[in-house]
Amino acid sequence: MAMAMASLMSLVRSSNPKPLIQSPLRPSSFYFRLRPSPPLFRHSSVTAFFSDQPQSPLSTTIEDNPLLHDFDFPPFDVIDASHVRPGMRALLNKLDNDLGELEKTVEPSWPKLVEPLERIVDRLSVVWGAINHLKAVKDTPELRSAIEEIQPERITFGLKLDQSIQIYNAFKAIKESPDWATLSEARKRIVESSIKDAVLNGISLEDDEREEFNKIQQELAKLSKRFGENVLDATKKFEKLITDEKEIEGLPATALGLAAQIAASKGHENATAENGPWMITLDGPSFMSVMQHAKNRALREEIYRAYVTRASSGDLDNTPIIDQILKLRLAKAKLLGYNNYAELSMATKMATVDKAEELLEKLRSASWNAAVQDMEELKQFSRSQGAPEADELAHWDISFWSERLRESKYEINEEELRPYFSLPKVMDGLFNLVKMLFDIDVVPADGLAPVWNSDVKFYCIKDSTGAPISYFYFDPYSRPLEKRGGAWMGEVFARTRVYSQDKTSVRLPVAHMVCNQMPPVGDKPSLMTFREVETVFHEFGHALQHMLTKQDEGLVAGIRGIEWDAVELPSQFMENWCYHRDTLMSIAKHFETGECLPEDIYQKLLAARTFRAGTMSLRQLKFATLDLELHSKYVPGGPESIYDVDQRVGKRTQLIPPLPEDRFLCGFSHIFAGGYAAGYYSYKWAEVLSADAFSAFEDAGLNDDKALRDTGYRFRDTVLALGGGKDPLEVFIEFRGREPSPEPLLRHNGLLQTTA
């Protein structure tokens, strides 16, 4: 098993302060200032973020900067671009002084090494994290410019910290000391991962090689930032105004309402759902409504081609950025003694390149025949409906005819189900589920913490005694003009005892959870598709692992220190509960009448769970395989282009090859602007773990509340509690009683017979 994923030290060097855990590219996303508040510390007088340290002399000149105030929750409502440069420079100066002092006084002990180190890294992580979070949810040109200017200075400090020989030697001394055997498992993992991360961050390189390494790190951060901005800008740039209702025939009322709402926001003030005009964009809810429901095949083709060529031309072209990213990643890997970047990436994961490829091929083989059957069934159905394109279905036909087939086969219309999945009811049902499984209460706490948008909700999680144990923000709606697409969970604060004066109390963890579902239209609440319901459950699974941790060592608390390919376990585990009868029925109540989802429709939803499972599996396998191929075998500047690789991988993972002009890679933010480079396979790796974990509840009895509670408490006390303080395979075995098996995943996906 590999060492822990990047320690908190390494989080300061990447383009994001800490990894944002994203949802996979789902079908629904197409292939995707201060105010008084209770302290976050229980039983502790330490209540403020900076209150345990003397005030910096710089604070007298920047006393109004909210980034440098003491706060219990980040002042998201008042932070703006003007605060970033002076605030970050003051903070970096203070932390640089702290680092210098640590290097002078460091000893190989927890109080003299790890605790002061954690204070340095945690402060930078919190402040820089707040800034980058605002960029993701409330982007402005001014904020971009400020981050672009300050980012090199932040990375320079991060590299200085990562490459501190005094800190590195102190960690090695701890490991080589006679006291090593007495350390807790969590502390051992902190030491071992810190040593490994220092090596992976160039500490062993000669001076000239380290200088080259540092230049690469700076350039990679710049390129990843630019990549993500280009995707957002290209998505915003596309607008198609439609005035003839015949052109959008088939679009459901919710989609027409959204299209009119977008048009109204763009200056067409009299736009209505009934009479238009309507505006189509490449933002997820708008894009998918066209692909799934528009009868106008020419419109579907136009929107599809626009989507798969986003950020691939003009000033927003990501092609040269991808080429340079791949070139620099390979150079970085070779500097560190690896053959390719995938090997470097796997150095901090559970898998190896060979094991990841083996799993992907096993799942591809299990999915291929089922996907072929899916395609034949789709052709036959479209032919029976008189579709002239039936014998030559194109990419822009698949989602449309799949929805018609689903409606015909299961008598389920996803749009007609929306009224049963209103956001308030979905959240109530989700919170009731986790109360039953994990013995916690989720209660609204709006007003307790500043927020960045009026739609953002704030919650407190309490244990069985009523004591707060964590908090989280929830930002549910799409805002394409300022918010990037997709769904993700991120850390605001991690649980830690390092700020406690008595060493027994802790700072409570805080998370944020971000989605991009359809906003309320008119006087109706946000009415969700079933896929959007699954996404909320998925992200809440990530948040639970961060918020229910019982690990007090801040460097491995919550999601920190967990191997990247295990981090999707709790998120994908939570998705299974969307099909649990009692859970679904508690959620699915008509927003107007209160009527429960009819039993026959629930049974059809259950039956439809494996609808086109082979096709859905292949699509994820295509992304994962392409990612590994680009980071292990592709030679930058060689005979193959990145698009040649895409086409080659597509032949083995797609029944309809990509269009020659397909530039999906230019929008593949997971691997070029996120934390999933040579790691997209993690979704499938962790899906094996999550399906097997859920099978423990199936074995206990999904209708037996006592058995579910007992199993849920065990899941809470292992997978959700132990954080990165224990090897994830050992955590799984502690919960499940054995090593993981892929059988439950294949069974859940209806692929066991195909495998046989």
Side-chain angles (χ1 to χ4, degrees), residues 189 279 387 410 482 570:
R189 276 175 63 87
M279 185 167 284
Y410 303 104
E482 65 175 11

Side-chain angles (χ1 to χ4, degrees), residues 443-503:
V443 297
D446 293 323
L448 186 61
V451 295
W452 52 91
N453 185 283
S454 59
D455 290 331
V456 176
K457 303 297 182 185
F458 191 66
Y459 295 93
C460 174
I461 294 184
K462 298 183 177 182
D463 64 16
S464 57
T465 71
I469 56 174
S470 55
Y471 299 87
F472 71 97
Y473 305 81
F474 180 39
D475 184 352
Y477 308 133
S478 168
R479 295 190 301 276
L481 295 182
E482 65 175 11
K483 181 180 177 182
R484 70 175 177 84
W488 65 93
M489 167 267 164
E491 168 197 311
V492 180
F493 292 115
R495 179 183 172 100
T496 181
R497 56 166 188 76
V498 79
Y499 289 102
S500 164
Q501 292 174 335
D502 57 16
K503 302 301 181 189

Side-chain angles (χ1 to χ4, degrees), residues 596-672:
C596 285
L597 187 76
E599 176 68 26
D600 64 320
I601 294 186
Y602 165 67
Q603 294 298 336
K604 290 170 183 174
L605 262 178
L606 213 56
R609 183 178 187 180
T610 58
F611 177 63
R612 295 178 59 76
T615 302
M616 298 299 101
S617 177
L618 273 189
R619 192 165 87 269
Q620 289 300 315
L621 293 168
K622 188 270 174 82
F623 299 145
T625 304
L626 178 58
D627 171 34
L628 278 185
E629 195 79 14
L630 288 172
H631 288 104
S632 62
K633 299 180 178 65
Y634 171 69
V635 180
E640 267 194 319
S641 73
I642 54 173
Y643 304 119
D644 292 335
V645 177
D646 190 4
Q647 293 285 337
R648 175 163 54 79
V649 171
K651 289 178 181 177
R652 297 177 56 249
T653 54
Q654 291 179 261
L655 297 178
I656 304 177
L659 296 174
E661 63 271 33
D662 186 301
R663 295 295 181 265
F664 156 76
L665 281 169
C666 288
F668 201 177
S669 296
H670 278 71
I671 69 170
F672 295 120

Side-chain angles (χ1 to χ4, degrees), residues 401-442:
W401 285 112
S402 294
E403 284 305 302
R404 306 293 79 73
L405 176 58
R406 189 203 307 269
E407 293 164 3
S408 171
K409 192 171 185 176
Y410 303 104
E411 297 178 336
I412 290 177
N413 181 310
E414 199 166 55
E415 286 298 317
E416 290 175 1
L417 290 179
R418 278 189 189 266
Y420 288 97
F421 297 121
S422 66
L423 180 62
K425 294 291 185 186
V426 169
M427 300 309 288
D428 285 346
L430 173 58
F431 297 159
N432 287 333
L433 171 67
V434 297
K435 179 179 176 60
M436 186 266 285
L437 290 178
F438 309 132
D439 198 22
I440 57 173
D441 285 296
V442 184

